[in-house]
Amino acid sequence: MPTSADFIQTQDHLDQLNQALDSGALVQVRRLLDSLPAADVAHVLESSPPKARAVLWRLIEIDREREVLPFLSDEIRSQFLRQMDTEEVASITEGLEADDIADILQQLPDRVIREVLELMDLQDRQRVEHVLSYPEDTAGGLMNTDAITVRPKTLIEVVLRYLRRHDELPEMMDNLIVVNRRDEYIGLLPLRRVLVSDPGTTVREIMNTDIDAIPANMDDREVANLFERNDWVSAPVVDSDGKMIGRITIDDVVDVIREDADHSLMSLAGLGEDEDTFGSVLKTAPRRAVWLGINLLTAFMASAVINVFEATLDKVVALAILMPIVASMGGVAGTQTLTVVIRGIALGQVGSNNSTWLINKELLVGVINGLCWSLVVAVAAALWFDDLLIGAIIAGATVINLITAALAGATIPILLDKLNIDPALAGGVALTTITDIVGFMSFLGLATWFYI
Amino acid sequence: MPTSADFIQTQDHLDQLNQALDSGALVQVRRLLDSLPAADVAHVLESSPPKARAVLWRLIEIDREREVLPFLSDEIRSQFLRQMDTEEVASITEGLEADDIADILQQLPDRVIREVLELMDLQDRQRVEHVLSYPEDTAGGLMNTDAITVRPKTLIEVVLRYLRRHDELPEMMDNLIVVNRRDEYIGLLPLRRVLVSDPGTTVREIMNTDIDAIPANMDDREVANLFERNDWVSAPVVDSDGKMIGRITIDDVVDVIREDADHSLMSLAGLGEDEDTFGSVLKTAPRRAVWLGINLLTAFMASAVINVFEATLDKVVALAILMPIVASMGGVAGTQTLTVVIRGIALGQVGSNNSTWLINKELLVGVINGLCWSLVVAVAAALWFDDLLIGAIIAGATVINLITAALAGATIPILLDKLNIDPALAGGVALTTITDIVGFMSFLGLATWFYI
């Protein structure tokens, strides 16, 4: 009997695996891998540096590989797939669910997709082609075609007999889907309700018609929000004619939620949400370089602003010492606002009805914090350089930059979202460019006014 | 029959609601609120500024409030709860699941908790007290006590009859839990399997013993990782003696996953993951201020470093113009590394076995990008100021700072995690402090060496 004490500790397994790998005890590694659930094997692969990863993958047999593939991130899965030929891809997708096969195929060149589809039997091929016909990031691309449908007139008794004829019911099946003669979605029949109902009642009497089906072209983020808000385990998907074409299950939605939440975090640092923590140096360096290049450009723009005030800097060297403070405070305040608004947009909270209120609120917060901290900055700077004027100047610049930061932090993502540009990716650079430039310009500008 | 065309569009409802609110048509608002599912009402409340939020909440009746509460974020829920007296809290928790009640009570003062518990009937009180006895962020705090247990010797026929005696089965119930006479967990009996099995078989013959129960003291993040990796809908929870005490369902786990993923994003900007997008100005400003204060301190530290090189700056004003570039490049490169490592830690990918490899990889990426971009910076600076020496100096400083940034970005979160300090919260400030100081010091230091 398993108790909490012998509960699987993945990190322990990882440590054991790595010790075995280091000592070259491959037989032992293989035994350890075989003893782990497929999901844990995927986790081990994702947590391993490239060389160990390649060795581990070679030690896994094809039946195991098939189980492990759906748990791998897109990035790492496509690494493995690209090393396979068409037959291998075809054999590794055998028996997988249609949405998992579609996920895998989508990462391959069109030629390979066609060849793999040709190797499938007709029914499987049609199912996969159906899923492939919808973009990956829509309800259609997320769905599975393994739903069990029933008609409203059927007796529960008959439903139970019908179910018993199956060897196994699909995973995460909490509802049967009720459709009419034209296969149009009518409602859901929860299995929980089937089990407690009188066998003599009809499906119609106990089915749930409150829940609408998901249109196949719905954005996957919206699908995730619906699942999250309604605590669904699975939900039916219909095409534009209201015809039942599949169902989406919570396990795939959890992946969307995780990716979606990761997306904002990673994008703000100029990284893809698929970034492989243990990717090779040669793959990682060029990706990171692009972002550094963009930043370099904006840094030179800020320098060009400072350059305008060369004469002032030449005269009052204290300005050079203090100027990073104004820019830095603006950057921090702006990033706070930006992050809140970006998350609000991702959660579907920010719309045309409340964005004005939100911008005003952030602006007011900026004014209050600007006034508060500019006082502290002023006193500190005046004491440091024994110069009241420099205190007043840095206070003014700090207020200006914190208000600018709040305004930019709130409006940039809302604007970018309206223009269909990813606010998380473009917002960060845009914001710090503005807070740097306004920071330097207001501080050195005010200084030039008063000193020169 | 619902089709994709009449699919609920929350944003539309929000717009309608706000128009009705603005025009003071409260009857219409109430009707709209009544027509929405509880989860959507919660979303509407979370997407509304404070005044509208208060008006909306007053328009919702107590039976509805009870349904809406579990969907609200902790922050907003506790706002509403703090305005209620003990009787109201007691009546609003009536009929909720034990984990939801525990969630609600945990946000109230101890005195109120005791009073509310006293108002409950004995069975409910014991259930809630049981959940309350575990910390909120553990498996015990997440669990529900509504599991249905069966014995291994029971016939499926008997199980089916037993289930039929219920009016309703608990939500998200995909498994019955198999326990022995001492209530110790033995295995799971999937409902999917009950439905396709011969009524004459016993539970023991078809139960699943592969899945270990979750110990009640397991961290909720680890629970979420297990659910995500194993595609569970629900899982049994056992105490330290292996006794079955409850079950965790995916809906609560999804909240953990969302909060966990949000946590890194929000913490890096010095915000709580509970930050209310539409919180009032007076609540928001002081929270943000703390972070600005910490940053101000580090900004002054960077200024103190610049101050050391006052004489050099006084002589070569070009240095003041270029110095933000070195600091900024370091900040961006370091943030990339920091973000990747923080996410790796959150996903449980980074451990003692692979952290050395990870640090080395990030270091190498830093060296490569440092060399690449320092060349570009050097050429640009040399051309701008028509001075080869300044090009060489800024190149050297950029290389030094990008390598420092990579090293700091990778080691700081790993170190903080070992010290049990939240890497996302403390990591960002620590990193930019280092990249600013090293950036200014290396650039102005090299310049002092060569120019003075």
Side-chain angles (χ1 to χ4, degrees):
Chain A
M1 195 212 64
T3 66
S4 55
D6 58 29
F7 188 86
I8 296 175
Q9 294 292 336
T10 319
Q11 198 57 45
D12 287 358
H13 279 275
L14 259 175
D15 288 345
Q16 283 178 38
L17 260 173
N18 277 285
Q19 276 169 25
L21 261 184
D22 287 346
S23 61
L26 296 189
V27 181
Q28 201 190 333
V29 172
R30 192 191 291 247
R31 206 171 47 230
L32 276 165
L33 282 175
D34 285 345
S35 72
L36 287 176
D40 287 353
V41 175
H43 185 69
V44 168
L45 286 167
E46 292 193 346
S47 308
S48 299
K51 266 187 208 155
R53 194 183 278 168
V55 173
L56 288 169
W57 184 247
R58 268 202 303 278
L59 289 173
I60 303 172
E61 287 175 25
I62 182 130
D63 287 344
R64 229 44 236 301
E65 286 181 355
R66 182 182 300 138
E67 291 166 37
V68 170
L69 267 189
F71 291 102
L72 288 171
S73 76
D74 287 358
E75 170 74 23
I76 296 174
R77 184 162 58 196
S78 72
Q79 273 174 31
F80 291 138
L81 287 170
R82 263 182 260 120
Q83 296 160 3
M84 299 181 186
D85 60 28
T86 311
E87 274 76 29
E88 281 175 304
V89 174
S91 91
I92 212 166
T93 57
E94 229 167 77
L96 285 181
E97 291 174 1
D99 64 333
D100 286 335
I101 300 181
D103 263 7
I104 290 174
L105 291 183
Q106 258 148 358
Q107 298 176 324
L108 296 168
D110 283 347
R111 186 187 50 77
V112 181
I113 298 183
R114 270 198 311 280
E115 287 174 8
V116 172
L117 283 172
E118 275 165 27
L119 289 170
M120 289 185 184
D121 70 41
L122 185 68
Q123 207 195 352
D124 279 352
R125 191 198 315 169
Q126 281 175 341
R127 277 208 293 238
V128 174
E129 279 173 346
H130 200 158
V131 179
L132 278 175
S133 71
Y134 294 97
E136 203 183 344
D137 57 352
T138 63
L142 270 183
M143 74 181 175
N144 243 311
T145 50
D146 60 0
I148 297 183
T149 55
V150 289
R151 293 287 171 74
K153 280 186 201 161
T154 321
L155 289 175
I156 294 305
E157 196 174 23
V158 179
V159 171
L160 283 169
R161 271 211 305 279
Y162 171 64
L163 290 177
R164 195 150 294 145
R165 264 191 278 155
H166 291 75
D167 288 333
E168 198 174 30
L169 297 182
E171 288 198 40
M172 309 246 161
M173 165 155 298
D174 60 335
N175 295 305
L176 303 177
I177 299 175
V178 188
V179 295
N180 65 15
R181 229 173 312 163
R182 289 183 304 278
D183 255 350
E184 289 161 350
Y185 169 78
I186 301 178
L188 292 177
L189 179 64
L191 287 184
R192 295 186 301 125
R193 215 173 277 177
V194 171
L195 284 164
V196 300
S197 299
D198 175 6
T201 52
T202 62
V203 168
R204 186 190 303 282
E205 288 172 81
I206 60 167
M207 71 180 181
N208 186 348
T209 55
D210 287 350
I211 293 170
D212 293 335
I214 294 178
N217 58 6
M218 182 183 269
D219 186 80
D220 61 355
R221 224 161 74 168
E222 177 75 355
V223 173
N225 279 334
L226 282 172
F227 266 78
E228 216 178 330
R229 263 187 257 148
N230 297 296
D231 291 348
W232 290 337
V233 170
S234 73
V237 180
V238 290
D239 65 14
S240 50
D241 300 324
K243 272 209 174 56
M244 228 300 291
I245 53 172
R247 64 182 191 116
I248 294 176
T249 50
I250 182 76
D251 53 328
D252 296 319
V253 173
V254 166
D255 293 342
V256 173
I257 291 173
R258 169 73 81 184
E259 274 168 30
D260 190 26
D262 269 357
H263 175 82
S264 304
L265 173 70
M266 301 298 270
S267 296
L268 273 174
L271 302 160
E273 71 247 33
D274 251 356
E275 175 88 15
D276 179 358
T277 315
F278 294 93
S280 71
V281 172
L282 289 180
K283 264 198 191 140
T284 309
R287 287 192 191 174
R288 306 266 179 95
V290 177
W291 195 245
L292 284 168
I294 295 171
N295 181 70
L296 185 59
L297 218 70
T298 71
F300 265 109
M301 281 163 61
S303 290
V305 171
I306 302 174
N307 188 42
V308 174
F309 303 99
E310 198 188 340
T312 315
L313 278 169
D314 211 8
K315 217 174 144 200
V316 191
V317 75
L319 297 176
I321 295 165
L322 290 174
M323 72 185 182
I325 294 176
V326 181
S328 153
M329 290 292 275
V332 168
T335 304
Q336 292 191 320
T337 301
L338 185 83
T339 306
V340 170
V341 177
I342 283 175
R343 195 192 56 152
I345 291 174
L347 294 179
Q349 291 176 340
V350 179
S352 54
N353 57 294
N354 53 21
S355 53
T356 316
W357 187 91
L358 189 56
I359 293 170
N360 283 332
K361 167 203 146 187
E362 292 295 335
L363 207 56
L364 252 173
V365 172
V367 171
I368 293 175
N369 276 330
L371 289 173
C372 274
W373 286 112
S374 66
L375 212 72
V376 178
V377 175
V379 171
L383 286 176
W384 186 358
F385 293 97
D386 196 16
D387 178 355
L388 274 179
L389 185 56
I390 211 165
I393 290 171
I394 200 169
T398 304
V399 173
I400 293 173
N401 206 25
L402 256 66
I403 294 174
T404 309
L407 200 62
T411 50
I412 289 173
I414 292 173
L415 222 72
L416 289 174
D417 189 51
K418 273 200 185 133
L419 299 171
N420 272 322
I421 301 170
D422 179 7
L425 189 59
V429 215
L431 177 86
T432 48
T433 308
I434 291 177
T435 52
D436 276 358
I437 288 179
V438 173
F440 294 137
M441 204 183 280
S442 58
F443 182 55
L444 298 177
L446 283 173
T448 307
W449 180 272
F450 285 107
Y451 281 114
I452 306 287
Chain B
M1 194 211 64
T3 65
S4 55
D6 57 29
F7 187 85
I8 294 174
Q9 295 290 335
T10 320
Q11 197 58 46
D12 287 359
H13 280 275
L14 259 174
D15 288 345
Q16 283 179 38
L17 262 173
N18 277 285
Q19 276 168 25
L21 262 183
D22 287 346
S23 63
L26 295 189
V27 181
Q28 201 190 333
V29 172
R30 192 191 291 247
R31 207 171 46 231
L32 275 165
L33 282 175
D34 285 344
S35 72
L36 286 176
D40 286 354
V41 175
H43 185 70
V44 168
L45 287 167
E46 292 193 344
S47 308
S48 298
K51 265 187 210 156
R53 195 182 278 169
V55 173
L56 288 168
W57 184 248
R58 269 202 303 276
L59 289 173
I60 302 172
E61 285 172 29
I62 182 133
D63 287 345
R64 231 41 240 300
E65 286 180 356
R66 182 180 300 139
E67 291 168 37
V68 171
L69 269 188
F71 291 102
L72 289 172
S73 75
D74 288 356
E75 169 75 23
I76 297 173
R77 186 163 53 197
S78 71
Q79 272 174 31
F80 290 139
L81 287 171
R82 262 182 261 119
Q83 296 162 2
M84 297 183 187
D85 59 28
T86 311
E87 274 76 31
E88 282 175 303
V89 175
S91 91
I92 212 166
T93 56
E94 228 167 75
L96 284 181
E97 291 173 2
D99 64 334
D100 286 335
I101 300 182
D103 263 8
I104 289 175
L105 292 184
Q106 258 147 358
Q107 298 176 325
L108 295 168
D110 283 347
R111 187 187 50 79
V112 181
I113 298 182
R114 271 197 313 277
E115 288 174 8
V116 172
L117 284 171
E118 275 165 28
L119 289 170
M120 288 184 183
D121 68 40
L122 185 69
Q123 206 196 352
D124 278 353
R125 191 197 315 170
Q126 283 174 339
R127 278 207 294 238
V128 174
E129 279 174 344
H130 200 159
V131 178
L132 277 175
S133 70
Y134 294 98
E136 203 183 343
D137 57 352
T138 62
L142 270 184
M143 75 180 175
N144 243 310
T145 49
D146 60 358
I148 297 183
T149 54
V150 289
R151 293 285 170 77
K153 280 187 199 160
T154 321
L155 289 175
I156 294 304
E157 196 173 23
V158 179
V159 171
L160 283 169
R161 270 210 305 277
Y162 171 64
L163 290 177
R164 195 150 296 144
R165 263 189 282 155
H166 291 75
D167 287 332
E168 200 175 27
L169 298 182
E171 288 198 42
M172 309 245 160
M173 164 154 297
D174 59 335
N175 295 305
L176 303 177
I177 299 175
V178 188
V179 294
N180 65 14
R181 229 173 315 162
R182 289 182 305 279
D183 254 353
E184 288 163 349
Y185 169 79
I186 302 178
L188 293 177
L189 179 64
L191 286 184
R192 296 185 300 126
R193 215 174 275 176
V194 171
L195 284 163
V196 300
S197 298
D198 175 6
T201 51
T202 63
V203 168
R204 186 190 302 282
E205 288 171 79
I206 60 167
M207 71 180 180
N208 186 347
T209 55
D210 288 349
I211 293 170
D212 293 336
I214 293 177
N217 59 5
M218 182 183 268
D219 186 79
D220 62 354
R221 225 160 74 168
E222 176 75 356
V223 173
N225 279 335
L226 281 172
F227 266 78
E228 217 178 329
R229 265 187 255 146
N230 297 296
D231 289 350
W232 290 337
V233 170
S234 73
V237 180
V238 291
D239 65 13
S240 50
D241 302 322
K243 274 212 172 53
M244 227 300 289
I245 53 173
R247 66 185 189 113
I248 296 177
T249 51
I250 181 79
D251 53 328
D252 297 319
V253 173
V254 166
D255 293 342
V256 174
I257 292 173
R258 168 73 80 183
E259 274 168 28
D260 190 26
D262 269 358
H263 175 81
S264 304
L265 172 70
M266 301 299 271
S267 297
L268 272 174
L271 302 161
E273 72 245 35
D274 250 357
E275 174 89 15
D276 178 0
T277 315
F278 294 93
S280 71
V281 173
L282 289 179
K283 264 196 192 144
T284 309
R287 287 192 192 174
R288 304 266 180 96
V290 177
W291 195 246
L292 284 168
I294 295 171
N295 181 69
L296 185 59
L297 218 70
T298 70
F300 266 109
M301 281 163 63
S303 289
V305 171
I306 303 175
N307 188 42
V308 174
F309 303 99
E310 198 189 341
T312 317
L313 277 170
D314 210 9
K315 217 175 147 197
V316 191
V317 73
L319 297 176
I321 295 166
L322 291 174
M323 74 184 181
I325 294 177
V326 181
S328 154
M329 290 293 276
V332 169
T335 303
Q336 291 191 320
T337 301
L338 185 81
T339 306
V340 169
V341 177
I342 283 175
R343 195 191 55 152
I345 291 173
L347 293 179
Q349 291 176 339
V350 179
S352 52
N353 58 295
N354 52 22
S355 54
T356 315
W357 187 90
L358 189 58
I359 294 171
N360 282 333
K361 167 203 147 186
E362 291 295 334
L363 206 56
L364 251 174
V365 171
V367 171
I368 292 175
N369 276 330
L371 290 173
C372 272
W373 286 111
S374 68
L375 211 72
V376 179
V377 175
V379 172
L383 287 177
W384 187 358
F385 293 95
D386 197 16
D387 179 357
L388 274 179
L389 184 57
I390 210 164
I393 289 171
I394 200 170
T398 303
V399 173
I400 292 173
N401 206 24
L402 257 66
I403 293 174
T404 309
L407 199 62
T411 49
I412 288 173
I414 291 173
L415 220 74
L416 288 174
D417 189 48
K418 271 197 188 137
L419 298 172
N420 272 323
I421 301 170
D422 178 6
L425 190 59
V429 213
L431 176 87
T432 48
T433 306
I434 290 176
T435 52
D436 276 359
I437 288 179
V438 173
F440 294 136
M441 204 183 282
S442 58
F443 182 55
L444 298 177
L446 284 173
T448 306
W449 181 273
F450 284 107
Y451 280 115
I452 307 289

